[in-house]
Amino acid sequence: MVAPFYWHHGDEVCWRPGKAVCVGRNYAAHAAELGNTVPETPLLFIKPDTAFSPLPGTIAIPTDAGSVHFEGELALLIGRPLTQANRDDAVEAVAGIALALDLTLRDLQSDLKRLQYPWEKAKAFDGSCPVSPFLPLGPGDLLTPWGFQITINGETRQRGDSRQMIWPMAELVAEISHHFTLRPGDLILTGTPEGVGPLYPGDQLLLQLGHLPAWEADVIAR
Ligand code: ZN
């Protein structure tokens, strides 16, 4: 049973949560901090619906598989089916925006990268995608600048700004729809800026989207 998504004003999102299509390396400074090159087309991976966990609340992390990094990311909620879409169709298909964490088993990911294996075990594990409530997006809202901030134990660790993205959000959604059909209830995770790092049980997070009041989350051992 997958927990539903919620709108910021409290109503349940009517679409059942689907998959999350995620982009790696969409901020140049983050690619650089991990020593990665920026690919010519978006590097994509998918998290299943079993990855979602609702924010605010607790974030349960595995403690037996090496370091778990947080990656704060703007998350887009798809509201219309989208296949082989152009940019304008993509803009109209995005129904909401939220803040999500792309939790990553970083040691395991490094091992998988070295072996040239897929990343799923490091990226798509149960609970690897905490998601905040969604703000509804009106026409054109996707094209305005969006910012967010991740604070851990009182220290601001990440500041994101959609204007720093290598692939802007509308183009990214359109591009993704050329590889994977998107359905209502699917999410797009748009990549993380610099500042990623490990989470530990006991950490207290504040996640702020735009100028909204911050959502709180406490990290616990799974
Ligand atoms: Zn990420």
Side-chain angles (χ1 to χ4, degrees):
M1 179 63 194
V2 177
F5 293 142
Y6 283 91
W7 295 107
H8 178 58
H9 50 68
D11 291 347
E12 198 174 304
V13 171
C14 65
W15 308 299
R16 186 187 184 281
K19 61 187 175 288
V21 183
C22 311
V23 58
R25 306 176 196 171
N26 198 19
Y27 292 81
H30 168 64
E33 78 178 342
L34 293 185
N36 293 319
T37 53
V38 174
E40 284 177 16
T41 57
L43 189 169
L44 303 177
F45 58 93
I46 289 179
K47 293 182 190 247
D49 58 10
T50 43
F52 298 132
S53 83
L55 295 172
T58 54
I59 298 173
I61 60 168
T63 53
D64 57 355
S67 66
V68 181
H69 274 204
F70 65 91
E71 298 187 355
E73 311 204 3
L74 292 170
L76 307 177
L77 176 65
I78 300 298
R80 293 186 196 177
L82 211 56
T83 302
Q84 309 275 332
N86 61 32
R87 181 178 175 278
D88 292 344
D89 294 335
V91 169
E92 290 191 9
V94 176
I97 190 166
L99 192 47
L101 295 176
D102 166 17
L103 297 183
T104 303
L105 288 163
R106 190 70 76 200
D107 298 330
L108 178 56
Q109 186 196 25
S110 298
D111 291 344
L112 295 170
K113 275 185 187 170
R114 196 171 52 244
L115 294 165
Q116 299 188 317
Y117 287 176
W119 295 358
E120 269 84 353
K121 286 198 282 187
K123 284 285 196 182
F125 58 92
D126 288 358
S128 61
C129 191
V131 184
S132 81
F134 287 86
L135 275 185
L137 290 184
D141 287 349
L142 186 66
L143 304 174
T144 62
W146 285 91
F148 70 89
Q149 193 165 300
I150 307 288
T151 303
I152 303 183
N153 304 327
E155 185 189 344
T156 299
R157 301 284 294 275
Q158 279 193 300
R159 279 198 181 85
D161 182 332
S162 61
R163 288 169 294 189
Q164 297 166 351
M165 290 180 182
I166 296 166
W167 294 287
M169 294 195 284
E171 281 80 355
L172 186 61
V173 173
E175 166 69 16
I176 287 171
S177 80
H178 285 253
H179 297 278
F180 310 109
T181 288
L182 299 171
R183 296 199 184 103
D186 284 346
L187 295 191
I188 306 296
L189 262 63
T190 57
T192 198
E194 74 272 26
V196 302
L199 288 180
Y200 300 100
D203 282 346
Q204 296 184 310
L205 276 66
L206 293 175
L207 302 103
Q208 190 173 19
L209 172 62
H211 298 291
L212 294 176
W215 294 289
E216 296 181 18
D218 295 321
V219 178
I220 60 168
R222 187 173 76 192

